[in-house]
Amino acid sequence: MVNKKKQWAISALAFCLGAGTLLAGCSGKDEQAASSPAASAAAGQASASADPYDKLPKNVSISTFDRGAVSSDQGTYENNKWVKWINENSGINVKIIPVPRNQAQDKLNVLIASNQAPDLIWEFDRSYIGKLVSQGAIQPIDEYIEKYSTSYKKYLNDNPDLKPFLTFNGKMYAVATKRDTVANHGMWIRQDWLDKLGLKMPTTVEELIEVAKAFKDKDPDGNGKADTTPLVGSTTFDIYSAMFAAFNNQWYLENDKMVYGALTDRFGDTMALEKQMYELGLVDKEYMTDKNFQRAIQLWTTGKAGIYAGNWNLAAVMTDFLTNNPDANPVPLGPVTTKYGKFGLYQESAPFIFVAFNKDMKNPKAAVEYLDWMMDKGWKPLVYGEEGVHYKDVNGVAQTIDADKQKKEVSYANEYAVLRQVTLKPSDLLIKAAPDALSQRIAKLNQLSLETVTKDTFRRDIPYQPNFTEFNEIQTSMKPFLDELRAKVTMQGSQYTAAWGLEEIRKEWKRLGGDKVTELAQQWYDSNKASFK
C-alpha cells in the first residue's frame, strides 16, 4: 500500500516538473488558494473593475470663442503661450477649437453634425445646452463628477443652488461656476452734451426720446454740422426689451400662466419704440445691418454719438473713446420707466459658463481632471496673467500693472478659464485697475456703472427657461422670422405698424404649433415651480 502511494507521488511530481510552475496545483498553499473558484472570480472582478480610461491618452479638446483678440505676434487662439502653459501645467494634452463669437452656435452645430465637435463644448446660453441635450449631442456627467472629481464636486456641494441650472431631465449635463457679477448690459450717456444743451438725465422713455432729439438737432459737439447720432450700440434692441420686460426668447408669468415673451403686448410696445427711434433718425440708419457693431463703435469712439447701448463695462471701447475725446464726460445711464414700470437692464442668471461633454468623448476622466485643475490652479493666471509681470496682489485683489500689456498678452486667455472662483465688488474695480490716470478714470466710471445697473432688478419670472424638444424647435424657427419681421416693422414704412407685427408673430406662433408648446411649458412650470426660489 505504501509503495503504491509512493509511486503515485513520484508520478505526480514528474507531471508537475514537466508542466513547470504554470500549474498552481503543484505549488505551495498560497498558490493553491489562489486557484480556487472564489479567487478566480475575484480576479475576474478586479479585471472588470479596472478603469477603462486609465490607459487612454489624456487628450481633451475644448471649444473657445474667437473674438479676434489675439495679435499676430502672440500667435493664434489654437497656439500661443497660454495654450502651451495649459498643456505644461495641467497634465492634460489640451486642443483648442475656436469658433467665431458672433456665429458660435452655428459653427458648433456644424461641427457636431460632421462629428468634428470638441470633447468639451461650452456656451453662456443654457438654452443652447438644452438643445444639445434634446438632440442627444452631449451626455450626462453625474457619474463622472462623482467618480473622478474632487475640486468641482466640493464646489458644487458648497453651491447647491447651481445644480438646477445644470440639470436637464433629472440628470446633470454641464458644469459651471458662479459669475463674478450678474450685471451685463448697460448704457452710457454724454453728460457734457446734456450740460451743454441744458438737459436733465432722462428717467422716462418719453424723456429719453426728447434727449435723443436734442442730441440730433442741437449740434451738441459744436462743429456747426448736423452729423451726430443720438443712440448707437451693440445691445440696442435688448435695452428696449429689458425696459419693457419683453425679451423674445424668454417666458414670462401672467397670473401664474406661462406666456412667451414675443407674444406679449409689451413686445409690441418694444417694436413700436424701435420703429419710432428709427423713423425719427435717433439711431444709426445702418444699425440693424451692423452685425459686428463696428460702425456703432466707430461713431461712439470718434465722439459722434451721445448714448451708447452696450455692456456695463466697456473696457477697450471706453479706452478708445476717452483717448479720442479726453474732455468728454460719459456717465452711466440707468433704465428708464415705461408705462409698465421700471425694470433693470439685462442681467445674467448665476451660472457663468456651461461646459458640456460631447457624447463621443473618448476620455471623460481626463476631461474631469482638466476641469478640476482649472478650478484649483488654472483659472487665475488665465484671467490675470503672471504675478509681478501683469498684476500684483493688493489685499487679495489682482491689480493690473500695465493696462496695454495686460490687454495684449492676457485678455484673450480669459476664454480658456471656463471654470473660475472669483467674485467682484464695485470697490474692487479701482484696486484692480492699472495706476495710470486713464485706467483709474475708467475704473471709477465702471464702479459707478456697476452700482447703477444693479440698482434695478432685471425681470426674470422663472430662474431658467424650460427645455423640451417642441420648444427648442419652435424657438429655432421663430428667431429668423422675428428678425425679418422686426426689420420690416422698423424700416419699411407706416403700413407695417408694431400692432401689425405683433399680430403676425401670434399667427406664426400658432401656425408652428405654439398652442401645444405653451401647454407643455405650463406643465413644465407647474411641475417645477416648487423648486424655484
Side-chain angles (χ1 to χ4, degrees), residues 500-519:
W500 169 85
L502 183 60
E503 187 60 28
E504 290 299 302
I505 293 171
R506 289 169 173 169
K507 288 178 183 177
E508 182 68 5
W509 177 264
K510 192 174 186 67
R511 186 188 72 81
L512 292 171
D515 290 345
K516 179 62 176 178
V517 171
T518 300
E519 180 183 335

Side-chain angles (χ1 to χ4, degrees), residues 457-474:
T457 303
F458 172 68
R459 180 173 171 179
R460 190 188 302 278
D461 292 355
I462 53 178
Y464 49 87
Q465 299 299 297
N467 177 66
F468 50 89
T469 301
E470 293 86 349
F471 172 52
N472 293 335
E473 290 177 350
I474 197 171

Side-chain angles (χ1 to χ4, degrees), residues 159 486 497:
N159 297 274
R486 273 183 47 219
T497 65

Side-chain angles (χ1 to χ4, degrees), residues 319 400-404 433-443:
T319 300
T400 301
I401 295 173
D402 184 316
D404 291 336
D436 63 276
L438 180 57
S439 296
Q440 286 293 306
R441 182 181 180 187
I442 293 172

Side-chain angles (χ1 to χ4, degrees), residues 306-317:
I307 302 170
Y308 190 90
N311 294 333
W312 70 269
N313 180 351
L314 291 184
V317 172

Side-chain angles (χ1 to χ4, degrees), residues 182-187 238-240 242-243 247 310 333-336 343-348 453 456-459:
V182 297
N184 193 314
H185 291 176
M187 285 191 293
D238 287 345
I239 294 289
Y240 301 154
M243 294 190 301
F247 268 78
L333 170 61
V336 299
F343 303 105
L345 303 182
Y346 180 73
Q347 298 170 10
E348 300 285 357
V453 299
D456 301 289
T457 303
F458 172 68
R459 180 173 171 179

Side-chain angles (χ1 to χ4, degrees), residues 193-401:
W193 283 15
L194 290 173
D195 294 342
K196 180 177 180 179
L197 301 179
L199 301 170
K200 294 181 179 180
M201 186 74 71
T203 59
T204 67
V205 68
E206 292 80 13
E207 291 174 356
L208 178 65
I209 293 170
E210 291 306 309
V211 165
K213 287 180 179 178
F215 282 179
K216 174 178 179 287
D217 298 330
K218 296 186 178 181
D219 190 25
D221 64 350
N223 69 349
K225 301 177 182 178
D227 60 352
T228 52
T229 304
L231 174 62
V232 299
S234 59
T235 62
T236 305
F237 188 70
D238 287 345
I239 294 289
Y240 301 154
S241 299
M243 294 190 301
F244 280 97
F247 268 78
N248 60 27
N249 62 351
Q250 296 204 28
W251 292 86
Y252 293 89
L253 291 174
E254 310 289 350
N255 299 318
D256 213 37
K257 298 296 182 184
M258 291 278 278
V259 181
Y260 192 55
L263 306 179
T264 64
D265 289 343
R266 299 190 306 278
F267 190 75
D269 289 330
T270 303
M271 290 193 295
L273 176 60
E274 182 173 42
K275 183 180 182 69
Q276 183 180 14
M277 295 290 285
Y278 182 85
E279 290 186 339
L280 290 174
L282 306 182
V283 293
D284 178 36
K285 290 294 185 183
E286 298 180 26
Y287 94 96
M288 295 194 81
T289 57
D290 184 21
K291 298 302 182 183
N292 293 321
F293 314 118
Q294 292 305 304
R295 182 172 168 82
I297 291 171
Q298 181 183 27
L299 287 169
W300 174 254
T301 57
T302 56
K304 291 302 179 183
I307 302 170
Y308 190 90
N311 294 333
W312 70 269
N313 180 351
L314 291 184
V317 172
M318 191 61 78
T319 300
D320 292 342
F321 172 80
L322 289 174
T323 300
N324 295 333
N325 308 276
D327 296 328
N329 184 19
V331 297
L333 170 61
V336 299
T337 303
T338 72
K339 66 181 182 181
Y340 299 104
K342 188 176 184 181
F343 303 105
L345 303 182
Y346 180 73
Q347 298 170 10
E348 300 285 357
S349 54
F352 181 39
I353 288 171
F354 295 91
V355 186
F357 286 41
N358 188 328
K359 69 177 178 60
D360 297 323
M361 177 187 291
K362 289 184 173 61
N363 195 341
K365 181 178 182 180
V368 173
E369 289 177 355
Y370 175 64
L371 294 172
D372 264 16
W373 172 81
M374 185 65 71
M375 282 286 298
D376 282 339
K377 302 176 181 178
W379 70 269
K380 192 170 184 177
L382 295 172
V383 172
Y384 301 124
E386 299 176 60
E387 187 171 4
V389 176
H390 301 104
Y391 78 94
K392 62 180 180 179
D393 188 283
V394 180
N395 298 323
V397 178
Q399 183 181 75
T400 301
I401 295 173

